[in-house]
Amino acid sequence: MVPMNAVLLLSFLLFALGVAGVLIRRNALIILMCAELMLNAANLNLIAFARHSGTPAGQAFALLVMGLAAAEVAIGLAIVVALYRKKDTVQVDDINLLKG
Amino acid sequence: MEAILSRSATYLFLLFGFIALGGAASMVFARNAVHSVIGFLVAMLAVAACYLTLQAEFLGVAQILVYAGGIVVLFLFVVMLVELTKFKEKRLFQIQTPWAVATVLVAVAAFGGVFWKTLFGPAAVEPLTLRPELAEGLKVAEQNAQALSRGLYADFLLPFEILSVILLVALVGAVVLAKTERV
C-alpha cells in the first residue's frame, strides 16, 4: 500500500505549483491549466483517503470533481476565445475594463 | 508476493509522482504555450498512473479519457486558434510574481510544519475511522468499478444528477459565449 504521507506530499506540491502558476502567469490559457492541476491535486487526496478508509465515497466524489473540471474548462476556453475576438489578447493583465 | 506487489506500487507511485511534478513544473514555467500544454498532458497521464497505483482503476482510465483525450485536445485547439506568437516578445510573468512566490513559499512552510508535526509529534488519540457501513460487502480495492458505481448511484445520486445539469448548462453556455454573430 502506498504510504499516505507520500500521497499527501505529492498532492500538496502539485497544488502549490498550480497556485503559483495561477498567480504568476499572464496567459489566460495557462492559468486555466493550472486551475485544472489544482483540481487534480485535490482528486489525488480524495482517492488516497478512499483507499485508506476502504470506502468508495472518496472515489465517487473524485469522479464528480472530474466532471465539474470538464465543465469549467469548456466555459473557461469559451471565455478565452470570446475575449480574444473582442480584445485581441489573452494576457490577463491587459484586460482591465473594471479597473478604477 | 503481496509484499512485493505492495512495494512495487509504492515505487511506481514515487516514479509517476516525480514525472507529474516535472510535467507540472514545465507547464508553469514554459515560454511556449504548446510546450505548456504538453507538460500538462504529461502531468495528467502521470497522475492517472498514480490513481492506478492507489487501486482506483476506473478513475485512472477516466482520467486518461477525460484529460488526455478531451481537455488537452481542447486546450491545443484554443492555442492554435489564438495567435500567441505576437505575445512572444512581451514578458512572461505578472508584476506581482515576487509576492506570489513568497505567498506560495509561506504555504509550503505551513504545510511542512503540519507534516513535521504529524510525523514526529505525539500520535493521535484514536485513529481516524470513516463510515464503515458505506463499504459493506464491496471493497474499493477489489471490485473497483462496482464499488464506485454503488457509491455514485446509491449514496451520491443527487450530486450526480446536479452535475449532469451543470454539464448541460456549461455546454450551452460555451456555445453561446463562443458564437460569433448574434441571432
Side-chain angles (χ1 to χ4, degrees), chain A residues 70-72 74-75 78, chain B residues 164-178:
Chain A
E72 180 226 316
I75 290 290
Chain B
S164 65
V165 175
I166 288 176
L167 274 173
L168 181 67
V169 172
L171 200 68
V172 176
V175 170
V176 170
L177 275 173

Side-chain angles (χ1 to χ4, degrees), chain B residues 45-124:
Chain B
L45 287 176
V47 169
C50 288
Y51 290 174
L52 292 182
T53 63
L54 291 168
Q55 294 183 322
E57 288 88 4
F58 182 80
L59 276 167
V61 175
Q63 167 96 356
I64 292 175
L65 285 179
V66 171
Y67 279 95
I71 290 178
V72 166
V73 175
L74 213 57
F75 268 112
L76 274 178
F77 270 141
V78 176
V79 168
M80 303 293 169
L81 211 63
V82 174
E83 196 192 349
L84 289 166
T85 47
K86 62 179 158 187
F87 308 122
K88 219 163 218 171
E89 314 82 53
K90 292 195 189 169
R91 65 206 157 77
L92 199 61
F93 298 119
Q94 301 253 30
I95 36 173
Q96 77 261 22
T97 296
W99 297 104
V101 170
T103 310
V104 173
L105 286 181
V106 167
V108 168
F111 181 82
V114 173
F115 212 65
W116 188 264
K117 226 173 173 175
T118 319
L119 282 181
F120 302 108

Side-chain angles (χ1 to χ4, degrees), chain A residues 14-48:
Chain A
L14 284 177
F15 192 87
L17 270 171
V19 173
V22 166
L23 288 177
I24 69 177
R25 287 305 295 248
R26 297 175 67 230
N27 191 330
L29 282 167
I30 292 168
I31 289 178
L32 264 178
M33 283 194 278
C34 290
E36 290 300 305
L37 191 70
M38 287 195 274
L39 285 171
N40 260 283
N43 262 354
L44 198 59
N45 253 356
L46 283 171
I47 288 171

Side-chain angles (χ1 to χ4, degrees), chain B residues 6 15 147 158 179:
Chain B
S6 168
L15 171 69
L158 184 64
K179 202 172 48 155

